[in-house]
Amino acid sequence: MKDLLFIEPDGSNREEVRRLGYRFVDLLVESASRAAERMPLNRDPGLIGEHYAPSEEGRDVDLLLDEIRGFLDRGMNPAHPGYMGHMDTLASAIGIFSDAIVSSLNNNMLAWEMSPVFSELEQRVMRWTCGLFGLGATPEDPDDSERRPVGHLVSGGTLANVTAMWVARNARGGSTMDEHGLFGQPPYVFFASENAHFSFRKAANLLGLGREGWVEIPAEDDGRVRVDAMAAAIRSARAAGKIPCAVVGVAGTTVTGSVDPLEEIAELAARERLWFHVDAAYGGAIAFSDRLRPRLAGIEHADSVTFNPQKWLFVPKTCASILFRDRHQPELHLREAFVYGMSNRTTQGRTRVNLGEWTLQGTRRVDVLKLYLTLEHFGRARLARMIERQIDLAQNFAGAIAACPELELLHHPELNIVCFRYRGVRTGANRIADNERLDFINTKIQERIEASGLGWLSLPHYRRRTILRAVILHPRCTEALLDRILDEVRSAGRELAGTL
Amino acid sequence: MKDLLFIEPDGSNREEVRRLGYRFVDLLVESASRAAERMPLNRDPGLIGEHYAPSEEGRDVDLLLDEIRGFLDRGMNPAHPGYMGHMDTLASAIGIFSDAIVSSLNNNMLAWEMSPVFSELEQRVMRWTCGLFGLGATPEDPDDSERRPVGHLVSGGTLANVTAMWVARNARGGSTMDEHGLFGQPPYVFFASENAHFSFRKAANLLGLGREGWVEIPAEDDGRVRVDAMAAAIRSARAAGKIPCAVVGVAGTTVTGSVDPLEEIAELAARERLWFHVDAAYGGAIAFSDRLRPRLAGIEHADSVTFNPQKWLFVPKTCASILFRDRHQPELHLREAFVYGMSNRTTQGRTRVNLGEWTLQGTRRVDVLKLYLTLEHFGRARLARMIERQIDLAQNFAGAIAACPELELLHHPELNIVCFRYRGVRTGANRIADNERLDFINTKIQERIEASGLGWLSLPHYRRRTILRAVILHPRCTEALLDRILDEVRSAGRELAGTL
């Protein structure tokens, strides 16, 4: 098929493009249905030469489909039930197929008149999500007031955290910030755990605050930030003439999935009159479960929340959100940057929001459709049960690790992430004390698991040690598979400890 | 179909999900094949209530497919051949279907080990794109040197412009900027046309420079920036103790598609030792044509270039790029913000770039596949001919407008955008002189064209007037359709001028 450039809007190639679509579906389904047979990670991308130039007159679709088939067998394979390296998941079937619909419509979330249905849908879904976290639900701040909560989707969690810190900085700086930026201002600082996502360091640089703009607060061994240290850091920043502008609580740290003490941080923020942001990019999903939601207590006081359905809600990338408890915050503090005068004729007696006026991105793909369809097809309660089950699996896995003398469980999992380490047998000649040697053994264990095809663990460097990390996020991961992986870890560890 | 949550990786529901995929394709193709029958813009999103909550136990796929069918008929319809309101286009068929593949693979451009094939592919395609603009092609700066050009995709052009200004600011600020940010620094400023995209104002705010950080330079009536005024603005900024850090040239302004005099701006930037950024988000596509490429002369001197395949290369949203002439620039000046210690074991004797270390976003969807497939299937020369034809259409349309005494052509189109205005007959009692009355008549003309279903023009406010704007971007737009729209504009204008 040489010339299938477009789906002709007059229907003249309807059957040809339908066949093309079916072929793509066949390719996709054949590959995804064999995901368990492939390695969780194939490190050989192959196929692509060092230099690239497109063809001059176009290449046949058949050749290109063959080439895609080659791509499908390489790369990261988070559809493998043993893939547990990072926070990547098997994507919902309905979300996958709907992304082709989104590309066909090619609407734009920049302005209402470029995405009327989806601008409305996104606001509805985001308002419900705000409610899930208790934002704006207090009697003094009723949902129907002018100050009701608002949120929007962004292309990845970094943009959500950056947006939150941006609004916090501008809320603190007021009209001076709009006009002169940071010129002539004392240093602005915000405070977050040493375990907070690296996007906060990125935000500090981007926003013009420099490395000193992000004060890293030490955490306990369990991964939770020390609120007393945070309070002390705020006091010394003020004493040094700096301007604290925000505190961050993390609900689901990157490495261990720890949840900071959000209520204490909320109290601190209120006392110090600081913006309170919660990065619940990962852990926010537990708000779907009535049983688990109390673990997020305090999040309802947040001024802003990051939450990524692209992680634990099984929505294909990208689908991340930034939520505000008070719509006036993004409206007031980003207005200078954002309002750009789209035609007002689109109002037609109703408030038609141009979402581009609140967003860093401006032009945005319609990410809300795959989120909406996934929510609707799965249902809230069914999602909650899946999330609960994964947390139970993680608890059991952690229990099994704790019961092995040669393994060290590094934290009691609050979510579905388990970090551990081979530490060797504790008695006799084989005792391993040297940290560097243990780092090396754990590195080799990770390679062995990867090579076995059984699963894939990541190997973060955490608190000065190289550790093994399992993110139990695949809906088809089972206790039996986790047992097999644990057996493999132990036998590899024993063997390596004996020979090294 | 109640339970089609995932494509099972063991193949156990292969045929069911295949049927689901086919149904999505049918829905998509049926809708896209009738795009010409629907209005270019349907302002009634309907269907969605004010309050939303997901179902508890999930809804049947059949119900959801019906609901999607309803969405498809509403919204912006850039697949209509008469849609010429904004820079939105009919998307390539292969690009549309490949987006489902991307969502199924669910790889992540954050790190090499999360997207091995696509991290490699993106770098190859971006390097070729850099070459298209002549970046890094000079004998002193050979392609194979350490300083070769580099680029990456971002989710929308705003992120590309923001990234460019971020690197420019940090390149100027050096290690002081890394450490202390803007604290204690004189005001930083960059210079761009009053017609530059509003993302530059956004960038100035985000980067902590405030409204004063973006100096708007006046443009000629033809839409091109006045380089003499830019030079004068740089001199007075220096005299006022400010720190100029970048100058911007626009290749394809938002409203009129004008191309700034890039060679003159490049000379100015070299003389003043400033970062030179070219926003070729829209106009960059003409680099595909040997005939048209000379209109971008000077772009080869740019330090950074924004170029959006999501516009004039028919790639579905989002697909935007930021290109750097020297890979050391993003490497050096974003390092503080970006490096976050992914495992190095992925190197395996080769340089495996974690693209997240250069990008604002971190986590990114795989946007390169739809770009690659569109380039490969269309071919460079065929894309060039399509682009040339659209520019020819715009020239002819502009000629027809210029030949109508009651219409005013507002600029000689450099690209495929034509701005014009009804101004009434020039003699006798019907003469219209009042600017506000003309604004109103042109607003009503735009409504009439929209209601006719013939096409859709946008209605920007430009140089203190409300005008009509045609972006001739649809590959099936014809001279005959443009003639009909022009007739409709004239008859609507005459009628309105007579009755108002």
Side-chain angles (χ1 to χ4, degrees):
Chain A
M1 285 191 282
K2 183 80 172 96
D3 278 312
L4 257 177
L5 305 187
F6 300 102
I7 307 175
E8 297 299 337
D10 63 0
S12 58
N13 67 351
R14 184 187 274 110
E15 294 314 317
E16 280 168 272
V17 291
R18 193 194 308 271
R19 280 195 298 276
L20 179 68
Y22 286 0
R23 290 178 70 190
F24 267 91
V25 169
D26 288 345
L27 193 61
L28 184 164
V29 171
E30 283 307 320
S31 168
S33 294
R34 290 196 325 271
E37 295 167 26
R38 287 195 305 280
M39 302 288 276
L41 178 68
N42 184 335
R43 290 183 185 273
D44 175 22
L47 296 177
I48 307 155
E50 187 61 27
H51 291 285
Y52 167 75
S55 65
E56 277 292 284
E57 292 294 334
R59 283 168 64 206
D60 200 282
V61 171
D62 300 289
L63 293 174
L64 292 171
L65 281 165
D66 282 344
E67 200 168 336
I68 298 173
R69 189 170 290 117
F71 291 165
L72 291 175
D73 291 344
R74 290 164 171 82
M76 179 177 82
N77 179 17
H80 189 290
Y83 179 93
M84 48 187 84
H86 297 294
M87 292 156 167
D88 299 293
T89 180
L90 185 66
S92 73
I94 200 166
I96 289 168
F97 294 124
S98 72
D99 255 330
I101 300 253
V102 164
S103 288
S104 175
L105 290 174
N106 213 16
N107 276 216
N108 185 343
M109 300 300 285
L110 172 67
W112 189 88
E113 72 179 15
M114 292 161 149
S115 53
V117 187
F118 301 111
S119 284
E120 305 276 339
L121 185 63
E122 185 175 292
Q123 289 177 84
R124 304 292 188 283
V125 174
M126 289 293 99
R127 201 174 309 139
W128 177 79
T129 311
C130 287
L132 200 62
F133 296 111
L135 300 180
T138 58
E140 317 87 80
D141 190 11
D143 181 60
D144 59 352
S145 80
E146 279 293 293
R147 306 186 78 86
R148 66 185 180 184
V150 76
H152 60 263
L153 294 174
V154 291
S155 301
T158 291
L159 294 177
N161 284 335
V162 163
T163 300
M165 292 301 99
W166 186 15
V167 174
R169 185 201 69 184
N170 285 9
R172 185 67 185 74
S175 60
T176 306
M177 183 69 69
D178 287 346
E179 186 69 19
H180 307 291
L182 292 160
F183 174 66
Q185 297 284 311
Y188 276 50
V189 284
F190 58 91
F191 304 83
S193 168
E194 59 175 320
N195 293 329
H197 191 250
F198 77 103
S199 55
F200 291 102
R201 185 163 62 180
K202 199 180 272 193
N205 185 296
L206 182 69
L207 294 171
L209 313 182
R211 197 183 302 140
E212 294 184 340
W214 175 29
V215 181
E216 278 192 49
I217 309 296
E220 306 284 1
D221 279 340
D222 67 2
R224 292 151 52 97
V225 73
R226 282 180 45 205
V227 182
D228 59 335
M230 194 177 258
I234 294 169
R235 281 194 301 273
S236 39
R238 288 202 202 279
K242 297 182 179 183
I243 298 190
C245 69
V247 290
V248 175
V250 184
T253 58
T254 308
V255 176
T256 59
S258 304
V259 180
D260 283 341
L262 301 179
E263 282 192 308
E264 290 176 53
I265 301 176
E267 280 166 28
L268 176 65
R271 204 162 58 235
E272 297 281 353
R273 297 177 180 277
L274 299 177
W275 187 276
F276 176 34
H277 175 66
V278 177
D279 180 0
Y282 192 70
I286 65 172
F288 274 68
S289 156
D290 296 333
R291 185 186 105 196
L292 300 169
R293 194 179 308 119
R295 298 191 191 180
L296 298 176
I299 200 170
E300 68 278 12
H301 301 299
D303 294 296
S304 53
V305 172
T306 291
F307 170 55
N308 291 8
Q310 73 190 9
K311 298 186 192 290
W312 210 348
L313 293 188
F314 314 107
V315 179
K317 284 187 247 316
T318 53
C319 189
S321 70
I322 176 68
L323 313 171
F324 294 96
R325 67 174 297 106
D326 176 354
R327 65 182 293 142
H328 282 186
Q329 294 296 343
E331 272 178 5
L332 283 175
H333 302 301
L334 300 181
R335 181 172 296 167
E336 175 58 28
F338 284 178
V339 170
Y340 62 103
M342 288 299 294
S343 161
N344 281 329
R345 201 170 71 72
T346 53
T347 54
Q348 297 189 325
R350 289 185 57 185
T351 310
R352 304 300 202 191
V353 176
N354 293 323
L355 293 172
E357 296 187 358
W358 291 342
T359 65
L360 202 168
Q361 289 179 266
T363 288
R364 265 193 302 137
R365 182 175 167 82
V366 176
D367 286 332
V368 71
L369 184 61
K370 56 191 169 189
L371 170 59
Y372 172 76
L373 292 174
T374 303
L375 287 177
E376 283 299 306
H377 184 50
F378 284 52
R380 186 208 60 85
R382 286 210 294 182
L383 277 164
R385 289 194 297 271
M386 291 169 70
I387 291 161
E388 288 164 4
R389 178 175 167 276
Q390 295 182 327
I391 289 199
D392 293 344
L393 277 178
Q395 299 282 356
N396 293 342
F397 188 53
I401 290 165
C404 295
E406 72 252 61
L407 298 180
E408 181 183 4
L409 178 68
L410 296 171
H411 66 127
H412 291 282
E414 291 182 86
L415 303 180
N416 57 346
I417 301 176
V418 183
C419 292
F420 61 108
R421 194 174 194 233
Y422 187 82
R423 63 177 171 195
V425 286
R426 289 260 168 185
T427 54
N430 280 330
R431 179 167 178 160
I432 302 170
D434 178 16
N435 192 40
E436 277 184 35
R437 196 173 153 219
L438 276 179
D439 282 354
F440 184 75
I441 289 174
N442 280 279
T443 302
K444 288 289 164 193
I445 292 173
Q446 194 267 356
E447 287 177 24
R448 283 272 285 270
I449 302 288
E450 179 179 322
S452 76
L454 206 56
W456 193 71
L457 304 169
S458 56
L459 189 76
H461 198 73
Y462 183 67
R463 296 181 95 85
R464 290 176 300 282
R465 295 188 292 181
T466 298
I467 64 172
L468 299 168
R469 171 167 166 267
V471 183
I472 301 171
L473 189 55
H474 196 294
R476 300 302 174 247
C477 181
T478 60
E479 205 143 20
L481 176 60
L482 290 167
D483 284 347
R484 285 181 64 198
I485 287 175
L486 203 56
D487 284 346
E488 184 74 21
V489 166
R490 291 162 71 187
S491 68
R494 275 179 213 143
E495 194 181 311
L496 288 159
T499 57
L500 287 171
Chain B
M1 286 191 282
K2 183 82 173 94
D3 279 312
L4 256 177
L5 305 186
F6 300 103
I7 306 176
E8 297 298 338
D10 63 1
S12 58
N13 68 352
R14 184 187 273 110
E15 295 314 316
E16 280 168 273
V17 290
R18 192 195 307 273
R19 280 196 299 277
L20 178 69
Y22 286 0
R23 289 178 70 188
F24 266 92
V25 169
D26 288 345
L27 193 62
L28 185 164
V29 172
E30 284 307 320
S31 168
S33 294
R34 291 196 323 269
E37 295 167 25
R38 288 195 304 280
M39 302 289 275
L41 179 68
N42 184 335
R43 290 183 185 272
D44 176 23
L47 295 176
I48 309 156
E50 187 60 29
H51 291 286
Y52 167 75
S55 66
E56 277 292 285
E57 292 294 334
R59 283 169 62 206
D60 200 281
V61 171
D62 300 288
L63 293 174
L64 292 171
L65 281 165
D66 282 344
E67 199 168 338
I68 298 174
R69 189 171 291 115
F71 291 165
L72 291 174
D73 289 346
R74 291 164 170 81
M76 180 176 80
N77 178 17
H80 188 291
Y83 180 93
M84 49 187 83
H86 296 294
M87 291 155 168
D88 299 294
T89 180
L90 184 65
S92 74
I94 200 165
I96 289 168
F97 294 124
S98 71
D99 256 330
I101 299 253
V102 164
S103 288
S104 176
L105 289 174
N106 212 16
N107 276 218
N108 185 343
M109 300 299 286
L110 172 67
W112 188 89
E113 72 179 15
M114 292 162 150
S115 53
V117 188
F118 300 111
S119 284
E120 305 276 338
L121 185 63
E122 184 175 293
Q123 289 176 84
R124 305 292 189 283
V125 175
M126 289 293 99
R127 202 175 307 140
W128 178 79
T129 311
C130 287
L132 198 64
F133 295 110
L135 300 179
T138 58
E140 316 89 79
D141 191 11
D143 182 59
D144 59 352
S145 81
E146 280 293 295
R147 308 186 77 85
R148 67 185 180 184
V150 76
H152 61 262
L153 294 174
V154 290
S155 301
T158 290
L159 295 176
N161 285 335
V162 163
T163 301
M165 293 301 99
W166 185 16
V167 174
R169 186 201 69 183
N170 285 10
R172 185 65 185 75
S175 59
T176 307
M177 184 71 68
D178 287 346
E179 187 69 19
H180 308 291
L182 291 161
F183 174 65
Q185 297 284 308
Y188 276 49
V189 284
F190 58 91
F191 304 83
S193 167
E194 59 176 321
N195 293 329
H197 192 250
F198 76 102
S199 55
F200 291 102
R201 185 164 61 180
K202 198 180 273 192
N205 185 296
L206 183 70
L207 294 170
L209 313 182
R211 197 183 302 140
E212 293 183 341
W214 175 27
V215 181
E216 278 191 48
I217 309 297
E220 305 284 1
D221 279 341
D222 67 3
R224 292 151 52 96
V225 73
R226 281 179 46 203
V227 182
D228 60 333
M230 194 176 259
I234 295 168
R235 280 194 302 273
S236 34
R238 287 203 204 278
K242 298 181 178 182
I243 298 190
C245 69
V247 290
V248 175
V250 184
T253 58
T254 309
V255 176
T256 58
S258 304
V259 180
D260 282 342
L262 301 179
E263 282 192 307
E264 289 176 52
I265 301 175
E267 281 166 28
L268 175 65
R271 205 161 57 234
E272 298 280 353
R273 297 175 182 277
L274 299 177
W275 187 276
F276 176 34
H277 175 66
V278 177
D279 180 0
Y282 191 71
I286 66 173
F288 274 68
S289 155
D290 295 333
R291 187 186 102 195
L292 300 169
R293 194 179 307 117
R295 297 190 191 180
L296 298 175
I299 200 169
E300 68 277 11
H301 301 299
D303 294 295
S304 53
V305 171
T306 291
F307 170 55
N308 290 9
Q310 74 190 9
K311 297 187 191 288
W312 210 347
L313 293 188
F314 313 108
V315 178
K317 286 186 243 319
T318 55
C319 189
S321 71
I322 176 68
L323 313 171
F324 294 96
R325 67 174 298 106
D326 176 354
R327 65 182 292 141
H328 282 186
Q329 294 296 342
E331 272 178 6
L332 284 175
H333 302 301
L334 301 181
R335 180 172 297 166
E336 175 59 27
F338 285 179
V339 170
Y340 62 105
M342 287 300 293
S343 161
N344 281 331
R345 201 172 69 72
T346 54
T347 54
Q348 297 188 325
R350 289 184 57 185
T351 310
R352 304 300 201 190
V353 176
N354 293 324
L355 293 173
E357 296 187 358
W358 291 343
T359 65
L360 202 167
Q361 288 179 267
T363 287
R364 264 192 303 136
R365 182 175 167 81
V366 176
D367 286 331
V368 70
L369 184 60
K370 56 191 169 189
L371 169 60
Y372 173 75
L373 292 174
T374 303
L375 287 177
E376 283 300 306
H377 184 49
F378 284 52
R380 187 208 59 85
R382 287 210 294 182
L383 276 165
R385 290 195 297 271
M386 292 169 70
I387 290 162
E388 288 165 2
R389 178 176 166 275
Q390 295 182 326
I391 289 199
D392 293 344
L393 276 178
Q395 298 282 356
N396 294 341
F397 188 53
I401 290 166
C404 296
E406 72 250 62
L407 298 180
E408 181 183 1
L409 177 70
L410 295 170
H411 67 126
H412 291 281
E414 291 182 86
L415 302 179
N416 58 346
I417 301 176
V418 182
C419 293
F420 61 107
R421 192 173 197 236
Y422 187 82
R423 65 177 169 194
V425 286
R426 288 261 170 186
T427 53
N430 281 330
R431 179 167 182 161
I432 303 169
D434 178 16
N435 192 41
E436 278 184 33
R437 197 175 151 214
L438 277 178
D439 281 355
F440 184 75
I441 289 174
N442 280 280
T443 303
K444 289 288 163 192
I445 291 173
Q446 194 266 357
E447 288 178 21
R448 283 272 286 269
I449 302 289
E450 178 179 321
S452 76
L454 207 55
W456 194 69
L457 304 169
S458 56
L459 189 76
H461 197 72
Y462 184 66
R463 296 184 96 84
R464 291 175 302 281
R465 294 188 293 180
T466 298
I467 64 172
L468 299 168
R469 171 167 166 268
V471 183
I472 301 170
L473 188 55
H474 196 293
R476 300 301 175 245
C477 181
T478 60
E479 204 143 20
L481 175 59
L482 291 167
D483 284 348
R484 285 180 63 196
I485 287 174
L486 204 56
D487 284 346
E488 185 75 20
V489 167
R490 291 163 71 189
S491 67
R494 273 180 214 144
E495 196 181 310
L496 289 158
T499 57
L500 288 171

